[in-house]
Amino acid sequence: MAVANSSQYIDAYAQTFADLSEQSVAWLKQQRADALEQFTSTGFPAARDEEWRYTQISALAKTLFLPAQHSASIAVDAEWLKNYQLADAWSIVLVDGFFSAELSVLDGLPAGVVVSSLAQALAEPASAALLTDKLNQAVNFDENGFVAFNSAYFADGVWVHIPAKQVLAKPIQIVHVATQSAVAINTRTVIVADEQSEAQLIETFVGLEGAYVSVAIAEVFVGQNADVTLYKVQVESEKALHFGGTYVKQARDARFRHDNFALGGLLARSDVHTDLDQASECELNGLYLGVKRQHIDNHTRINHLKPHGISRELYKGVLDDKARGVFQGRVVVAEDAQKTDSQMNNRNLLLSNDAEADTKPQLEIYADDVKCGHGVTVGQLDEKSIFYLQSRCVDEETARNMLTFAFANEMVDKVKIKSLHDVILGQVLLRFPQEGIDKEWL
Amino acid sequence: MLSIKNLHVSVGDKPILKGINLEIKPGEIHAIMGPNGSGKSTLSHILSGKSGYTVTEGSATYQGKDLLDMPPEIRAREGVFLAFQYPVEIPGVSNVYLLKAALNSIRKHHGQSEVDAMDFLTLVKGKVRLLEMDEKFLYRAVNEGFSGGEKKRNEILQMAILEPKLCILDETDSGLDIDALKIVSEGVNSLRSPDRSFVMVTHYQRLLDYIKPDFVHVLAHGQIVKSGGPELALELEEKGYSWLEDAEASA
């Protein structure tokens, strides 16, 4: 018996499921079936679930978002896409969740490095074999209803494999473009960086005008002593819903950094979970900007499973108008994870009386010899700083804009890929009052 | 330059300044000394336009204009510069950005065009060398993570670049070691000119060893209780403030 908010989806997706199941190899067919069973019994997450109490997903029940269709003619202007697609990266483009060879730029990848459509990879016995112990291994579909939904119904996505000791000279960008309206775009990404490799990857989510829902689940495996930086730039359309999950498994001594820019969408949620093995390190950064009636949710979980792990987390939010931002950050230090060093911070800037920030840092510590801290602030612009700038000739409005921008720019400045930095900077400036902010001077 | 007449200032219902009279002519350096709570900082704040103060009586006229009527940024563009006792850290705004924004605001205010990017850098780098600062400071966020001495030096750097007419130094010597004090003082001295005036608010005489004032005023309980030449500062150093406060109380 399906729960209310998912039964209409299960009915409407029956044919899609049958088709996908038909195309899948045996193990994947089984996974899809199990995921569907899970989705049937739990449905989409409900507000009674503590992890979802701030996330209102009633829009999914009100509108039935049908599966996005693979369209032969591409409604994406390559010139327009250049605003997001980096010229100095290898890029793989998904249009409405389906791989577009035409828009992707993958020439010159080093031998052994694979960046491909996930559907194609699963159709090839050799690469499918590599995926058997990866897909649904960094996250399981019992994690939540969106993961179950995604696992049952994803049609395509991205498969990235970076072999051992490979140090990539350029970043790899995964560009998700949404062109259709009233559809659900379900993508799955699997990134495997083998031992001692180094890579920077970017996931960009961008949409045209439409109201669509994007469900994007990524699994990342960072091998022993490998170093992976993953940027997420979420600039979905104003009417879009975005449910993203990034689930990471770090091997011993692995380093993982995630920079999460949550700027678009009407309702956008991002979950980032990482499991740290012995002496592995992670850095989670985030910037969420909410204007108008945007609701932006960020949930992170850092699981220190083994000793000597280090985690650093800083999420900053700027909320204006009637926007709402949520930060739920959880750090779990297992009994075995002695000498863990963890610091979590969340800072929120409210620009309007109607804006809201909900922040909930949680530390769960089962080891007894650890260094863990967290700090949270929710505040307005500092009057002392405004006066300081005024005393330096800057008018009050510009001072406010400068300080708002500066607050956000701390996160933008961490981005060391120049072309990406400029894209993000442009997107941040688009969303905020910028009277008096001169980009050329930055 | 600046004429303060019978200035009364309150914070809430509490009177802080109770009738200040002060005349500052171009090129002069005035030191305002006084014990904690005498109203020194209030005076520098009210002149630079900080909010939270109410003027209940009196006036302050700067270059013939009503200073108290101007918003802080207009005062700054007109040439009033406050060097803060506690310079504020502004993460995310680089020093060079703020300097450029400030300089261009002044130029715009005076109907001039924006400064040329190359000229600006030449100007700024010259001043950086003068203050024995590292050029890297320019590209760091304003005062962020700066030591006490670096912050004060940064204030003087801003002053050197913006070339104000009236410089108010609020407890510039506080938190400075002797080397930093020397550098800051040399910076201030290099900016002395016949058409630039200084008001130095300070608790201690120490700063005045390096920056010689023309006049010294002692502030106590919101009033100037004694004015004199540089020798007054030495007398204060020796005797403390109590003899003046007592004199005022018995008067």
Side-chain angles (χ1 to χ4, degrees):
Chain A
M1 176 65 197
V3 295
N5 70 7
S6 60
S7 58
Q8 60 167 340
Y9 283 86
I10 292 165
D11 295 344
Y13 280 60
Q15 187 58 49
T16 301
F17 184 80
D19 294 346
L20 289 168
S21 197
E22 171 73 33
Q23 295 157 15
S24 299
V25 288
W27 61 268
L28 181 58
K29 188 178 289 199
Q30 186 60 47
Q31 282 189 359
R32 290 191 191 272
D34 293 346
L36 178 59
E37 194 183 324
Q38 177 77 27
F39 182 60
T40 307
S41 69
T42 60
F44 289 116
R48 63 180 174 274
D49 180 346
E50 182 59 26
E51 295 288 324
W52 289 80
R53 57 181 285 219
Y54 298 110
T55 317
Q56 291 290 332
I57 59 161
S58 52
L60 283 173
K62 277 188 211 131
T63 310
L64 172 64
F65 293 91
L66 293 170
Q69 296 303 314
H70 194 182
S71 136
S73 63
I74 291 173
V76 178
D77 176 5
E79 279 304 308
W80 168 82
L81 194 59
K82 281 183 186 158
N83 294 317
Y84 307 94
Q85 190 175 16
L86 306 179
D88 53 359
W90 289 293
S91 54
I92 177 163
V93 180
L94 302 178
V95 178
D96 298 318
F98 295 93
F99 171 60
S100 162
E102 192 184 333
L103 293 168
S104 300
V105 181
L106 294 166
D107 310 329
L109 275 170
V113 176
V114 178
V115 179
S116 79
S117 144
L118 183 65
Q120 286 177 8
L122 287 165
E124 298 278 336
S127 44
L130 284 176
L131 278 156
T132 49
D133 63 346
K134 299 295 185 243
L135 196 65
N136 282 314
Q137 301 305 306
V139 65
N140 201 337
F141 31 75
D142 59 4
E143 175 67 30
N144 66 51
F146 285 103
V147 178
F149 177 76
N150 183 275
S151 301
Y153 301 120
F154 79 84
D156 200 355
V158 174
W159 158 237
V160 176
H161 183 210
I162 299 146
K165 297 186 182 170
Q166 178 74 55
V167 177
L168 286 185
K170 291 198 290 186
I172 295 169
Q173 185 183 23
I174 301 165
V175 188
H176 300 255
V177 188
T179 69
Q180 299 172 29
S181 212
V183 297
I185 299 166
N186 232 329
T187 57
R188 178 64 73 105
T189 296
V190 180
I191 298 166
V192 175
D194 286 339
E195 57 185 45
Q196 297 184 59
S197 62
E198 281 182 40
Q200 300 188 86
L201 300 105
I202 302 144
E203 277 191 293
T204 300
F205 293 87
V206 59
L208 303 181
E209 301 293 293
Y212 54 88
V213 54
S214 167
V215 181
I217 304 296
E219 296 181 85
V220 184
F221 299 84
V222 189
Q224 189 172 332
N225 201 26
D227 191 328
V228 169
T229 298
L230 177 59
Y231 297 91
K232 177 173 175 179
V233 184
Q234 186 274 99
V235 287
E236 303 272 23
S237 99
E238 273 188 23
K239 296 176 201 149
L241 310 178
H242 176 96
F243 299 96
T246 305
Y247 300 91
V248 187
K249 286 229 179 288
Q250 296 182 238
R252 188 179 170 143
D253 298 311
R255 292 173 300 285
F256 175 70
R257 171 175 157 187
H258 192 255
D259 282 26
N260 188 359
F261 292 89
L263 312 179
L266 182 61
L267 166 63
R269 169 160 171 145
S270 183
D271 286 63
V272 181
H273 292 194
T274 182
D275 289 349
L276 281 78
D277 201 321
Q278 185 163 333
S280 47
E281 298 174 15
C282 79
E283 180 182 340
L284 304 186
N285 299 310
L287 174 67
Y288 45 103
L289 303 184
V291 296
K292 298 180 190 167
R293 291 179 169 275
Q294 274 182 294
H295 177 116
I296 303 201
D297 246 329
N298 285 289
H299 296 249
T300 64
R301 191 186 307 163
I302 298 170
N303 292 317
H304 284 276
L305 302 173
K306 291 283 162 65
H308 295 284
I310 299 175
S311 60
R312 292 288 177 271
E313 179 165 17
L314 173 60
Y315 265 70
K316 291 179 97 172
V318 184
L319 302 158
D320 201 355
D321 306 323
K322 291 176 188 288
R324 188 174 181 197
V326 177
F327 173 80
Q328 270 191 300
R330 201 160 138 201
V331 174
V332 182
V333 182
E335 200 178 342
D336 190 27
Q338 299 294 2
K339 306 284 182 189
T340 288
D341 176 355
S342 172
Q343 183 66 44
M344 168 169 49
N345 284 293
N346 173 230
R347 295 210 280 279
N348 295 279
L349 177 59
L350 299 181
L351 299 177
S352 130
N353 288 333
D354 295 324
E356 183 178 329
D358 299 291
T359 172
K360 193 175 158 196
Q362 294 167 281
L363 294 179
E364 282 175 44
I365 302 172
Y366 302 100
D368 54 16
D369 183 13
V370 300
K371 193 166 84 181
C372 293
H374 66 81
V376 161
T377 56
V378 178
Q380 293 166 314
L381 290 173
D382 175 31
E383 293 298 326
K384 274 187 197 153
S385 304
I386 293 170
F387 175 64
Y388 186 79
L389 293 175
Q390 283 183 286
S391 78
R392 298 299 177 258
C393 310
V394 176
D395 66 82
E396 186 178 340
E397 191 195 343
T398 301
R400 287 183 181 278
N401 292 348
M402 274 171 78
L403 291 169
T404 303
F405 173 73
F407 181 87
N409 195 41
E410 184 190 351
M411 305 316 291
V412 181
D413 259 354
K414 288 180 190 284
V415 177
K416 297 303 174 206
I417 303 168
K418 175 76 170 65
S419 54
L420 178 65
H421 171 274
D422 292 352
V423 168
I424 296 169
L425 180 64
Q427 290 294 326
V428 168
L429 286 174
L430 260 184
R431 285 168 169 79
F432 274 98
Q434 45 174 307
E435 180 65 36
I437 305 288
D438 194 322
K439 206 174 148 186
E440 301 307 308
W441 300 354
L442 292 169
Chain B
M1 177 74 68
L2 179 68
S3 171
I4 302 175
K5 291 207 164 73
N6 192 32
L7 186 64
H8 289 251
V9 175
S10 299
V11 173
D13 292 336
K14 193 172 180 252
I16 307 287
L17 298 182
K18 304 164 188 168
I20 301 284
N21 290 291
L22 194 60
E23 285 292 329
I24 296 172
K25 295 197 171 59
E28 289 179 354
I29 297 194
H30 291 246
I32 311 278
M33 303 186 67
N36 293 330
S38 58
K40 298 193 301 288
S41 278
T42 299
L43 182 61
S44 53
H45 290 161
I46 197 80
L47 292 177
S48 52
K50 191 173 182 185
S51 62
Y53 300 94
T54 315
V55 176
T56 52
E57 218 183 317
S59 66
T61 310
Y62 167 72
Q63 293 192 318
K65 293 174 188 162
D66 180 358
L67 182 69
L68 303 177
D69 199 35
M70 298 179 206
E73 65 273 17
I74 302 298
R75 298 181 199 202
R77 292 171 195 170
E78 288 275 337
V80 178
F81 184 94
L82 171 66
F84 281 62
Q85 179 177 9
Y86 302 110
V88 181
E89 297 192 11
I90 317 264
V93 177
S94 73
N95 251 332
V96 72
Y97 185 96
L98 177 58
L99 287 169
K100 205 165 198 175
L103 192 62
N104 278 328
S105 304
I106 293 174
R107 292 176 66 93
K108 199 174 163 194
H109 185 72
H110 294 293
Q112 295 165 314
S113 61
E114 276 188 7
V115 64
D116 172 80
M118 289 310 292
D119 294 348
F120 173 74
L121 273 185
T122 310
L123 167 74
V124 169
K125 288 183 176 173
K127 303 290 184 187
V128 163
R129 275 194 297 276
L130 181 77
L131 286 155
E132 298 179 36
M133 292 168 76
D134 191 324
E135 264 181 32
K136 285 186 199 131
F137 270 78
L138 289 172
Y139 302 98
R140 283 173 58 182
V142 177
N143 295 323
E144 192 187 29
F146 287 22
S147 70
E150 287 167 343
K151 283 181 183 172
K152 295 297 170 77
R153 233 186 279 187
N154 200 31
E155 296 289 285
I156 305 304
L157 173 70
Q158 294 173 354
M159 197 165 94
I161 289 162
L162 302 180
E163 302 191 315
K165 292 275 180 297
L166 175 65
C167 306
I168 303 162
L169 310 181
D170 189 5
E171 306 272 10
T172 289
D173 52 330
S174 71
L176 288 190
D177 63 30
I178 199 76
D179 293 330
L181 184 62
K182 271 186 192 161
I183 293 166
V184 164
S185 304
E186 279 165 20
V188 171
N189 286 327
S190 73
L191 292 170
R192 292 188 71 160
S193 87
D195 57 358
R196 180 173 295 136
S197 311
F198 291 83
V199 177
M200 291 193 293
V201 173
T202 180
H203 188 102
Y204 300 104
Q205 193 267 341
R206 189 170 77 132
L207 179 67
L208 309 184
D209 288 341
Y210 298 93
I211 309 170
K212 235 23 223 152
D214 301 304
F215 302 95
V216 173
H217 310 277
V218 181
L219 198 60
H221 305 303
Q223 288 182 313
I224 290 177
V225 293
K226 196 167 176 66
S227 295
E231 71 287 347
L232 179 56
L234 296 169
E235 204 175 341
L236 287 168
E237 184 76 355
E238 199 178 309
K239 298 190 193 169
Y241 288 109
S242 56
W243 62 282
L244 282 169
E245 291 186 278
D246 295 346
E248 187 232 10
S250 62

